[in-house]
Amino acid sequence: MINQNTSNSTFPIINPGLSSDVDSKLNEDRYDVYVNDNFVGHKALKTQGEELSDIDDFLRNQGFNSFSSSLDGDHYTIQAKEKVDDIANALSIYFQNR
């Protein structure tokens, strides 16, 4: 007697090399952040409540108010006419602490 499997069920492919940490990191949004076209770091939105505007809020809390920001794809650009180096340094520290 020949035993044939005529079921249409499929079995999940399990890759033991991948952990849930890797899967969750692949699902987060990540943006390259620039100050006046100079790269300063990456901002990853890891939780549902995080937004790119958190960067602007951080800068304002640090006393920087003369800047604008824009998003183009995965590039978030801060444009500033004054205190450019101070803004870039503050953001570098911000990204290291997050």
Side-chain angles (χ1 to χ4, degrees), residues 4-19:
Q4 293 182 340
N5 184 358
T6 58
S7 167
N8 287 332
S9 65
T10 58
F11 297 100
I13 297 173
I14 299 172
N15 185 346
L18 290 178
S19 71

Side-chain angles (χ1 to χ4, degrees), residues 2-95:
I2 297 175
N3 187 3
Q4 293 182 340
N5 184 358
T6 58
S7 167
N8 287 332
S9 65
T10 58
F11 297 100
I13 297 173
I14 299 172
N15 185 346
L18 290 178
S19 71
S20 61
D21 289 340
V22 171
D23 292 337
S24 65
K25 287 183 182 178
L26 293 175
N27 292 326
E28 69 188 22
D29 293 331
R30 183 175 168 188
Y31 298 89
D32 297 333
V33 180
Y34 296 82
V35 174
N36 290 1
D37 301 321
N38 294 315
F39 178 77
V40 293
H42 300 284
K43 172 67 175 167
L45 303 181
K46 297 179 182 181
T47 63
Q48 189 173 9
E50 284 186 290
E51 298 179 6
L52 279 175
S53 62
D54 294 345
I55 296 171
D56 298 359
D57 295 340
F58 167 78
L59 289 174
R60 286 187 189 96
N61 287 335
Q62 297 299 309
F64 302 109
N65 295 305
S66 298
F67 68 89
S68 62
S69 58
S70 63
L71 178 64
D72 183 18
D74 65 349
H75 287 69
Y76 192 69
T77 303
I78 307 291
Q79 292 293 329
K81 292 184 180 180
E82 54 189 43
K83 299 184 180 181
V84 175
D85 290 336
D86 293 338
I87 291 172
N89 289 334
L91 286 175
S92 293
I93 292 168
Y94 173 76
F95 295 136

